[in-house]
Amino acid sequence: MKNIRFIVQPGGSVQGRIRVPGDKSISHRSIMLGSIAEGTTTVTGFLEGEDSLATLKAFQAMGVEIEGPVDGKVTIKGVGLSGLKQPKHTLNMGNSGTSMRLLSGIIAGQKFSSELTGDASLSKRPMKRVIDPLTLMGAKIESEDKGLPPLKVQGSDQLNAIDYTLPMASAQVKSCVLLAGLYAQGTTSVVEPAPTRDHTERMLRGFGYQVTSKKLDALATKITLQGGGKLTATHIDVPSDISSAAFYMVAASIAPGSDLVIEHVGINPTRTGIIDILKLMGADITLENPREVGGEPVADIHVRAAKLKGITIPEELVPLAIDEFPVLFVAASAAEGTTVLTGAEELRVKESDRIQVMADALQAVGIDAQPTEDGMIVQGGEQKPQSAAIISHHDHRISMAMTVAGLKAVAPIKIEDCANVNTSFPRFIELANSVGLQVTAEEA
């Protein structure tokens, strides 16, 4: 992969109205469920990023006729639960852990086998967390040492239903088991120890499949479905991705004089940890024009500049903001006082070790950021980011987070290995520059 370098000029204010790309989690699931539904599903607002396109291409390789995307519009001619065909080649998931983990659940219930591979970053991400429950259900899966990709999934049309308690709060593992449960004989249930994004459950219901969710206590939920049903084609309007909006929410919060509206953002309550945490830090955020689109709550997010303060982040909010912590660390660096994050060891097994990589990046620009086993301690306040060359380790969220850090910098920041930004946020630089950041990209 070629090295794309971002160069961020210091300072600036963030103004205007923008719409960020479609939600990646919902885009993935729209292709998956539309493909195994009966009838033709239409999708608008689809994220045309490399991760979502990897999912789309995988289902085309398994015999599903998919038209688009064109301007975010996709048409999927579903083949039903049992209509997928053995692909003629290895399915390349690129940089997408969501694609690999969720697709494993679907392929586990097929009569054929498939090999799932990915790029260098994905090949370092743990897959044992989906291998274990799928093996309990009767699938046979081969992997590299320690459960790393590539995965060879030998499906079975005789999967066993299981009652599975997640060892960690993970929407991807939950979704993998539920999708395999569609093909299992009997009732499959998953107990999650803390809330995680519930797009799979919501979308299954949108396709007419019965899924029940029962609260067990203040945090735990049991999700249950019966195998052997059918999904009926529907229309999906994908809201804008709150994970992408997060970069601009932090940018408008920390840059003096900022006033920004981010339109049509999904505010699913399992995804709004970023809003809750920023508000605890003193951010000026209001939700305008709330509405529901295709079973998902949506609103326009209005953010004005505010003086942020350091906080101890409540652990119950961690799973609800797990993808947003790189840019939340930037918010912490601009806040008065100390911000403490604990309970976020999951960050160490994302596209990069986001605890260590963000600590290294912030330290490189002169911020006091101390990594811990399960989080970070960031001293905010008077320090201003200095000029530095940042290594993003091909992690798109590191690249974008450190771009936002440039708003408080006193000298240019260079960020290496930014090509993967296109996996989740096409046109990121163009949109950033349109609202007041100063970013250029060059091939290094």
Side-chain angles (χ1 to χ4, degrees):
M1 181 180 293
K2 60 187 177 184
N3 176 23
I4 300 297
R5 175 188 296 139
F6 286 1
I7 302 172
V8 188
Q9 300 301 321
S13 180
V14 179
Q15 307 278 341
R17 295 182 72 92
I18 57 171
R19 182 162 173 170
V20 300
D23 187 285
K24 185 163 65 167
S25 296
I26 298 175
S27 294
H28 280 305
R29 289 159 173 81
S30 70
I31 298 295
M32 293 180 186
L33 298 190
S35 293
I36 59 176
E38 297 181 10
T40 300
T41 291
T42 55
V43 183
T44 53
F46 180 81
L47 171 64
E48 298 182 40
E50 293 169 10
D51 280 6
S52 308
L53 292 173
T55 294
L56 186 152
K57 291 172 184 175
F59 279 91
Q60 286 178 324
M62 291 187 287
V64 181
E65 187 177 338
I66 303 175
E67 298 172 4
V70 178
D71 296 328
K73 297 178 181 178
V74 181
T75 302
I76 308 158
K77 296 184 179 179
V79 298
L81 279 175
S82 58
L84 297 176
K85 298 175 182 177
Q86 181 160 10
K88 296 178 181 179
H89 55 76
T90 297
L91 299 177
N92 189 341
M93 302 293 97
N95 190 240
S96 178
T98 301
S99 300
M100 182 169 285
R101 292 187 178 124
L102 272 61
L103 194 54
S104 296
I106 292 175
I107 292 176
Q110 307 302 319
K111 296 179 181 179
F112 56 78
S113 59
S114 296
E115 182 173 358
L116 308 179
T117 188
D119 67 9
S121 172
L122 183 56
S123 298
K124 297 175 184 176
R125 298 187 66 183
M127 295 297 153
K128 189 174 185 297
R129 54 185 58 187
V130 294
I131 294 172
D132 288 347
L134 292 178
T135 301
L136 288 174
M137 298 178 82
K140 296 179 181 178
I141 303 177
E142 298 177 21
S143 68
E144 297 296 304
D145 289 344
K146 300 180 182 178
L148 297 178
L151 302 182
K152 294 181 180 179
V153 183
Q154 176 63 58
S156 169
D157 57 356
Q158 300 290 319
L159 288 183
N160 308 307
I162 59 172
D163 190 343
Y164 190 68
T165 298
L166 297 176
M168 82 295 288
S170 168
Q172 292 180 0
V173 180
K174 171 180 67 173
S175 298
C176 171
V177 176
L178 290 174
L179 292 173
L182 297 174
Y183 296 90
Q185 299 174 348
T187 302
T188 293
S189 63
V190 180
V191 175
E192 57 179 4
T196 66
R197 57 189 65 178
D198 63 356
H199 302 304
T200 299
E201 301 96 296
R202 285 175 182 259
M203 194 176 290
L204 281 167
R205 295 183 189 113
F207 277 89
Y209 209 100
Q210 185 173 358
V211 182
T212 61
S213 299
K214 180 183 178 183
K215 292 290 291 183
L216 301 181
D217 56 36
L219 291 178
T221 301
K222 185 173 186 176
I223 303 98
T224 303
L225 58 74
Q226 187 83 19
K230 74 170 187 175
L231 286 76
T232 303
T234 187
H235 171 71
I236 298 167
D237 183 2
V238 181
S240 295
D241 197 331
I242 195 167
S243 293
S244 296
F247 299 102
Y248 293 96
M249 291 164 60
V250 171
S253 294
I254 67 174
S258 295
D259 190 332
L260 181 71
V261 176
I262 313 166
E263 300 175 340
H264 196 71
V265 180
I267 53 166
N268 183 304
T270 63
R271 297 285 299 280
T272 52
I274 174 72
I275 295 175
D276 297 332
I277 292 168
L278 284 174
K279 282 188 172 181
L280 288 173
M281 297 177 76
D284 183 350
I285 299 174
T286 54
L287 301 182
E288 300 174 348
N289 192 21
R291 54 209 183 272
E292 191 167 287
V293 176
E296 290 280 351
V298 170
D300 300 334
I301 301 178
H302 192 173
V303 189
R304 299 178 182 88
K307 286 194 172 184
L308 301 185
K309 62 179 186 297
I311 62 168
T312 296
I313 297 171
E315 284 201 11
E316 64 268 20
L317 292 179
V318 170
L320 309 184
I322 198 67
D323 284 337
E324 290 74 60
F325 278 108
V327 78
L328 278 169
F329 293 143
V330 173
S333 74
E336 290 289 337
T338 304
T339 296
V340 180
L341 171 66
T342 57
E345 57 273 5
E346 178 74 6
L347 289 174
R348 289 198 178 274
V349 291
K350 291 289 189 178
E351 282 84 337
S352 67
D353 178 345
R354 287 179 173 163
I355 291 173
Q356 189 62 55
V357 173
M358 276 305 296
D360 290 345
L362 291 172
Q363 289 170 10
V365 296
I367 302 297
D368 184 352
Q370 300 302 320
T372 63
E373 186 175 336
D374 64 344
M376 196 183 301
I377 301 170
V378 182
Q379 304 291 343
E382 297 305 314
Q383 309 160 94
K384 298 285 188 183
Q386 307 296 310
S387 181
I390 305 299
I391 306 299
S392 73
H393 294 265
H394 303 283
D395 188 331
H396 54 122
R397 298 201 192 278
I398 305 297
S399 301
M400 291 185 281
M402 292 309 296
T403 299
V404 173
L407 286 164
K408 299 293 283 186
V410 295
I413 296 174
K414 295 181 180 180
I415 309 165
E416 305 291 341
D417 303 324
C418 298
N420 273 344
V421 168
N422 277 331
T423 64
S424 66
F425 202 149
R427 297 179 54 245
F428 169 72
I429 285 186
E430 183 181 334
L431 201 58
N433 288 329
S434 76
V435 295
L437 283 82
Q438 302 174 72
V439 196
T440 56
E442 64 181 28
E443 190 170 336

